[in-house]
Amino acid sequence: EKIINEKEVIVDFLNDFHEENPLSKGCNKKFIEQKTNINSNVLGYLLDLLVDENIVASNSEFWSIKGFKISLNQKLKEKYEDILTFINRNTYMESGHMKDFDLNDKEFFAVVNYLESENKIKKINSQYFYSVRELDLLMEKMKKHFSVNSLMTVPDFKLISKTTRKLAVPLLEYFDKIKFTYRSSDARKMTGAS
């Protein structure tokens, strides 16, 4: 019975969270733990049960009610198109550009999170956002490089990606994070390549 009550507490909390934060795709486990006062291990177990019961969904580190979708108001729908056009035209965008779109931090990151949830862009880190199309093309170029070279240095990557070191390093770290590449001394190797 205690498990049923704590599951209800989690579901009620997530429903309230979505109502108060309609532009957020969910919240992390630590936040749920703080707000519900449920022990971390118990919470993990209960969240897994709720996922198995198709009540809750987990997207990376975010937890939400199953089927929850971010919904943008009219202003943010227009900004969605503007930001997507900007990123597709320029291949990437820095978070500093949010002022160009007349959005506050919360609105900007809501649109960016929505674009990411729609698989239009990828957040490389908290500062850079890239077009998924551009990242796919870049990965193809990297595969070609690795088909004839076992290592890729930062200068190699700069040449392939036609970018600066300032952008090359975060991109390489992103490819490491998604396990496409891994760092080997001062260079990269492609995961799965011998």
Side-chain angles (χ1 to χ4, degrees), residues 3 6 18 35 50 83 88 118 137 153 169:
I3 287 178
E6 287 185 330
H18 290 318
K35 296 297 183 178
L50 289 165
I83 291 171
N88 283 333
E118 297 283 306
L137 290 171
T153 63
V169 171

Side-chain angles (χ1 to χ4, degrees), residues 153-166 168:
T153 63
V154 173
D156 292 336
F157 183 75
K158 284 173 50 184
L159 193 62
I160 290 168
S161 62
K162 296 181 175 79
T163 192
T164 64
R165 182 174 183 85
K166 176 183 170 185

Side-chain angles (χ1 to χ4, degrees), residues 80 105 124 135 156:
Y80 165 99
D105 286 9
I124 302 305
L135 288 173
D156 292 336

Side-chain angles (χ1 to χ4, degrees), residues 38-53:
I38 297 174
N39 169 286
S40 179
N41 293 332
V42 173
L43 179 62
Y45 172 75
L46 293 174
L47 286 168
D48 287 342
L49 277 179
L50 289 165
V51 167
D52 291 345
E53 295 170 6

Side-chain angles (χ1 to χ4, degrees), residues 1-12 38 42 45-46 49-50 53 55:
E1 181 151 323
K2 185 175 182 187
I3 287 178
I4 293 171
N5 289 340
E6 287 185 330
K7 282 175 24 183
E8 287 175 4
V9 167
I10 295 167
V11 170
D12 289 346
I38 297 174
V42 173
Y45 172 75
L46 293 174
L49 277 179
L50 289 165
E53 295 170 6
I55 297 170

Side-chain angles (χ1 to χ4, degrees), residues 64-157:
S64 64
I65 294 295
K66 180 89 174 179
F68 172 77
K69 295 269 188 219
I70 294 172
S71 57
L72 302 178
N73 62 29
Q74 191 56 41
K75 173 189 174 187
L76 295 183
K77 283 180 184 171
E78 291 167 12
K79 299 302 179 178
Y80 165 99
E81 293 297 332
D82 294 344
I83 291 171
L84 183 58
T85 300
F86 180 93
I87 292 173
N88 283 333
R89 188 175 301 136
N90 297 288
T91 70
Y92 79 98
M93 181 172 72
E94 291 183 61
S95 58
H97 281 284
M98 79 176 83
K99 64 183 178 299
D100 299 340
F101 296 98
D102 194 29
L103 295 171
N104 64 38
D105 286 9
K106 188 175 182 178
E107 292 171 327
F108 176 79
F109 286 104
V111 172
V112 165
N113 288 338
Y114 187 75
L115 282 163
E116 190 172 29
S117 74
E118 297 283 306
N119 205 32
K120 304 285 187 189
I121 67 168
K122 289 289 181 193
K123 218 184 294 185
I124 302 305
N125 60 25
S126 61
Q127 189 175 1
Y128 296 110
F129 312 98
Y130 269 78
S131 154
V132 166
R133 183 182 67 221
E134 185 65 26
L135 288 173
D136 289 344
L137 290 171
L138 194 48
M139 288 170 75
E140 288 304 315
K141 290 177 185 177
M142 292 170 73
K143 285 177 186 175
K144 280 184 184 172
H145 173 88
F146 284 121
S147 71
V148 293
N149 302 283
S150 62
L151 291 175
M152 179 181 291
T153 63
V154 173
D156 292 336
F157 183 75

